[in-house]
Amino acid sequence: MTIDFEHIIPQKRMENQLGKNNLKSYPVSSLGNLCYLASIDNRAKRDKTIYEFVENRPSFIVDKDYLNLINYPSKEELRFIDYSLLEFNDKYKEFIGNRLDILFKEFKELVKEKYN
């Protein structure tokens, strides 16, 4: 199976939300906006979040274990996606900051486990 780095909030979705000119000032490919996803699923979901993608695919199971495996945020964390531009701006920055904190914490724990 081939695995991709995937944008949690897809680039096309952010472009639609922010406008192409504003997109350059956002950390779209920030580590905080990435996860791992099987290539076949990545390409099929296009500009949707995982939650939107699975709404019409009952055979695609999204449970807590799967979400943890691909390091995907909760549905609650992504509620801001369709907010107005001003709200989106603040919430996206908060989302990225929180995700980076979580990822750095996980990384430190893994390194600690490996070398202790």
Side-chain angles (χ1 to χ4, degrees):
M1 174 183 347
T2 306
I3 302 292
D4 290 342
F5 279 109
E6 167 59 357
H7 291 90
I8 294 166
I9 302 169
Q11 288 179 301
K12 184 69 173 167
R13 187 78 168 267
M14 287 188 66
E15 182 181 314
N16 292 341
Q17 182 73 355
L18 301 168
K20 202 169 198 165
N21 293 336
N22 293 330
L23 189 63
K24 293 175 185 167
S25 62
Y26 284 82
V28 175
S29 295
S30 164
L31 183 59
N33 192 32
L34 298 176
C35 69
Y36 298 111
L37 194 59
S39 298
I40 193 166
D41 297 329
N42 180 22
R43 286 165 180 83
K45 78 174 200 57
R46 299 182 186 220
D47 65 343
K48 294 180 171 72
T49 66
I50 289 285
Y51 303 109
E52 294 164 337
F53 176 61
V54 300
E55 283 177 1
N56 298 319
R57 296 188 66 192
S59 62
F60 193 92
I61 298 171
V62 175
D63 60 13
K64 188 176 179 179
D65 290 336
Y66 177 74
L67 295 172
N68 285 335
L69 178 68
I70 65 169
N71 206 347
Y72 205 81
S74 72
K75 206 174 199 177
E76 297 297 317
E77 292 174 283
L78 297 179
R79 291 216 184 275
F80 71 91
I81 290 176
D82 294 318
Y83 286 2
S84 70
L85 181 59
L86 183 60
E87 291 173 302
F88 180 89
N89 180 39
D90 294 339
K91 293 294 185 181
Y92 182 71
K93 289 176 182 175
E94 181 182 336
F95 168 74
I96 292 296
N98 290 341
R99 288 268 305 158
L100 287 174
D101 288 345
I102 290 166
L103 294 171
F104 288 140
K105 184 178 179 180
E106 288 178 12
F107 178 74
K108 287 192 317 192
E109 288 173 10
L110 289 169
V111 169
K112 193 176 187 180
E113 283 176 23
K114 176 88 173 162
Y115 296 104
N116 277 336

